[in-house]
Amino acid sequence: MKSLHDGTPNPERGMDAKRLGIYLNDHHAGSVAGIELARRTESENHSNLVGHFLATLVPDLREDQRTLEAVMRALELRRDPLKSRVAWVVEKAARLKLNGSWVRYSPLSRLVELEGLCTATEGRLSLWTTLARLQRKDARLAPFDFESLIARGELQKAALQRLRARASDVAFADEPMAFGSGETPIASY
């Protein structure tokens, strides 16, 4: 996007398609890694609140990814399959982190994974907020309801933060404790 002489963006001018393509491809790669992280975390926590919440979140993440792909098509920006493949591999490699248990899933694993999902949700919120701003400058973005995506993302973030807080209690408890014992389920957003 071109700037006025004082450095402020000029909405009368177009956007830099190359930089926008890089930005959206980076977010697409992040969505690939985020979905894999959410799926793995769900499978390791299927019998507790984390797994129950993620069972509803994963389909929403896939829907968000499809929306991002539709945005890229509307803007006539190519997807970079290499970035997405690298993100997939990096997510798999991240599983090798030390978590205090060599062969089993540990409470620390759950905490770190939920922190990753919280961070990924912040990234999605930034994406939708940026696209909502760009929507005012590019009519091709008019069909997308970024405000609804932002609202849903805020609710998801709040739920993930509550789960993360509980996971930190469990991870650092003096005595082993079950995750979710006596807890009320996280409300659907």
Side-chain angles (χ1 to χ4, degrees), residues 3-166:
S3 295
L4 298 174
H5 294 294
D6 66 359
T8 59
N10 184 350
E12 302 290 317
R13 304 275 173 98
M15 296 180 287
D16 186 305
K18 181 179 179 183
R19 287 194 301 257
L20 185 57
I22 292 168
Y23 176 77
L24 295 179
N25 271 293
D26 287 350
H27 274 280
H28 189 270
S31 76
V32 169
I35 289 169
E36 287 301 309
L37 175 59
R39 288 180 58 227
R40 175 168 44 94
T41 307
E42 176 193 2
S43 72
E44 292 291 346
N45 292 276
H46 65 276
S47 63
N48 65 40
L49 296 174
V50 172
H52 296 228
F53 174 74
L54 293 178
T56 63
L57 181 65
V58 169
D60 287 347
L61 296 177
R62 287 189 176 117
E63 182 182 323
D64 286 357
Q65 185 180 64
R66 287 189 298 272
T67 299
L68 175 55
E69 291 166 354
V71 165
M72 294 175 79
R73 282 190 303 276
L75 296 173
E76 300 174 10
L77 298 170
R78 289 181 351 146
R79 284 195 5 226
D80 184 343
L82 180 60
K83 277 188 181 184
S84 295
R85 281 194 283 271
V86 168
W88 185 87
V89 169
V90 168
E91 190 283 327
K92 302 296 182 217
R95 296 177 184 196
L96 301 175
K97 69 189 173 309
L98 298 177
N99 64 6
S101 177
W102 285 100
V103 293
R104 291 181 331 233
Y105 192 78
S106 81
L108 189 56
S109 300
R110 180 184 303 113
L111 175 60
V112 171
E113 290 168 356
L114 285 168
E115 287 177 348
L117 290 170
C118 287
T119 301
T121 300
E122 287 290 342
R124 278 186 297 117
L125 285 167
S126 293
L127 168 67
W128 302 138
T129 301
T130 297
L131 288 172
R133 289 180 59 82
L134 294 177
Q135 192 174 44
R136 293 178 257 166
K137 301 172 186 169
D138 194 320
R140 296 174 294 177
L141 295 174
F144 300 98
D145 187 359
F146 298 119
E147 296 304 324
S148 289
L149 292 167
I150 292 166
R152 184 173 75 178
E154 290 289 350
L155 293 170
Q156 293 166 343
K157 179 175 96 171
L160 284 165
Q161 287 291 358
R162 287 192 304 274
L163 290 169
R164 186 208 50 77
R166 176 67 179 144

